[in-house]
């Protein structure tokens, strides 16, 4: 079993605070890491696809980094807003299997 | 923007009954998936489907499960005789081709409750 772990499980922050959370994964047979943003009753929305060690990607106030050698990725949100409240899922794609391995997600609540 | 749709959004069924969950993938996509997430647990891969046949399946996808693309648009997951432990959120996903299998678009899910 190729375990993908996310921490923390849940997070409550005040509006305007910056926050970050972690996805860790086995570094062997790495191909790609995805971050998804998932609001209740909606489709998981792809935020980033990261493939190269040292990748840094940014989308507005959200950014992510990737370290494939040590097997982790960080997601950062700068100046959190209530609309950022969602579950953030990471999923690993390997070069040997044709499926995603998901983490349990980090549930973010931004308090106005 | 094209999206994957799923119906129904919530299905309640009695143990032992058959259910069919429906998905309409993005129209030019050729590779389809089903995943499930039991409450409080990780999203798990069930099955992938390409060229009208199962491409890969997990150990969860036993004989009680089947998938079908009955026409050019729908992709269905059938559970023949539901068990309590089948209660979960079921997600469909699609991608353009096997070469882009890691770029999947997800539907909003169907919450299945087995009583």
């Amino acid at each position: 079993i190729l375990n993908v772990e996310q921490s923390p499980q849940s997070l409550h922050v005040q509006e305007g605070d910056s926050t970050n959370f972690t996805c860790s994964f086995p570094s062997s047979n790495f191909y790609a890491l995805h971050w998804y943003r998932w609001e209740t009753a909606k489709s998981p929305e792809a935020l980033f696809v990261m493939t190269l060690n040292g990748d840094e990607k940014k989308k507005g106030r959200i950014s992510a980094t990737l370290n494939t050698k040590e097997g982790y990725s960080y997601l950062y949100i700068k100046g959190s807003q209530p609309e950022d409240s969602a579950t953030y899922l990471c999923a690993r794609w390997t070069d040997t299997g044709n499926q995603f391995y998901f983490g349990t997600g980090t549930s973010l609540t931004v308090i106005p | 923007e094209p999206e994957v749709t799923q119906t129904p959004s919530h299905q309640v069924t009695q143990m032992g009954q058959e259910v069919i969950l429906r998905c309409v993938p993005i129209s030019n996509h050729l590779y389809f998936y089903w995943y499930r997430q039991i409450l409080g647990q990780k999203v798990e891969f069930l099955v992938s489907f390409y060229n009208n046949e199962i491409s890969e399946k997990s150990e969860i996808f036993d004989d009680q499960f089947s998938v079908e693309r009955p026409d050019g648009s729908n992709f269905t997951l059938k559970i023949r005789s539901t068990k309590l432990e089948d209660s979960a959120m079921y997600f469909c996903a699609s991608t353009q081709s096997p070469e882009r299998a890691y770029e999947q678009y997800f539907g909003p899910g169907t919450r299945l409750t087995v009583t």
Side-chain angles (χ1 to χ4, degrees):
Chain A
I1 296 175
L2 304 170
N3 282 328
V4 178
E5 303 294 342
Q6 290 186 249
S7 62
Q9 268 195 327
S10 67
L11 198 52
H12 288 73
V13 301
Q14 292 289 332
E15 182 175 353
D17 286 352
S18 293
T19 187
N20 65 84
F21 21 94
T22 306
C23 172
S24 58
F25 50 86
S27 54
S28 58
N29 303 118
F30 178 86
Y31 188 85
L33 188 89
H34 288 237
W35 280 100
Y36 286 92
R37 179 174 178 277
W38 181 24
E39 288 181 74
T40 305
K42 294 187 179 177
S43 302
E45 174 201 351
L47 289 174
F48 303 115
V49 180
M50 308 179 81
T51 54
L52 297 175
N53 185 43
D55 251 357
E56 286 190 35
K57 297 224 171 172
K58 192 172 180 197
K59 190 175 183 176
R61 293 178 291 98
I62 306 177
S63 59
T65 61
L66 177 68
N67 183 323
T68 60
K69 292 186 175 168
E70 294 181 42
Y72 63 84
S73 175
Y74 295 137
L75 189 82
Y76 301 91
I77 303 179
K78 187 177 173 183
S80 304
Q81 299 296 310
E83 58 265 30
D84 295 329
S85 297
T87 295
Y88 292 82
L89 283 171
C90 69
R92 173 174 178 256
W93 190 268
T94 69
D95 61 8
T96 54
N98 200 18
Q99 57 178 278
F100 275 126
Y101 295 91
F102 283 87
T104 44
T106 292
S107 173
L108 174 68
T109 304
V110 181
I111 303 160
Chain B
E1 189 177 327
E3 56 183 20
V4 177
T5 59
Q6 288 185 244
T7 53
S9 56
H10 190 188
Q11 171 109 34
V12 181
T13 190
Q14 287 192 324
M15 199 165 55
Q17 296 295 304
E18 175 184 286
V19 293
I20 297 176
L21 309 183
R22 290 184 166 79
C23 169
V24 179
I26 294 173
S27 62
N28 64 341
H29 284 190
L30 300 174
Y31 211 159
F32 315 116
Y33 302 81
W34 282 102
Y35 296 85
R36 78 170 185 193
Q37 186 186 33
I38 295 170
L39 191 63
Q41 298 185 23
K42 294 181 181 181
V43 175
E44 301 170 290
F45 167 78
L46 292 178
V47 65
S48 59
F49 189 86
Y50 175 67
N51 213 19
N52 280 320
E53 59 184 25
I54 289 174
S55 182
E56 287 194 49
K57 59 182 181 178
S58 70
E59 59 270 18
I60 302 166
F61 194 88
D62 61 22
D63 292 343
Q64 295 286 27
F65 291 91
S66 62
V67 288
E68 199 177 33
R69 189 153 159 84
D71 53 43
S73 58
N74 287 284
F75 177 52
T76 61
L77 175 70
K78 184 194 288 186
I79 310 175
R80 263 180 267 286
S81 176
T82 49
K83 304 189 274 281
L84 293 175
E85 53 265 37
D86 293 327
S87 295
M89 182 77 95
Y90 287 81
F91 291 98
C92 170
S94 70
T95 188
Q96 279 186 316
S97 66
E99 292 74 35
R100 305 188 71 164
Y102 62 93
E103 291 182 355
Q104 294 178 28
Y105 292 80
F106 284 82
T110 292
R111 180 167 297 285
L112 176 66
T113 304
V114 183
T115 61

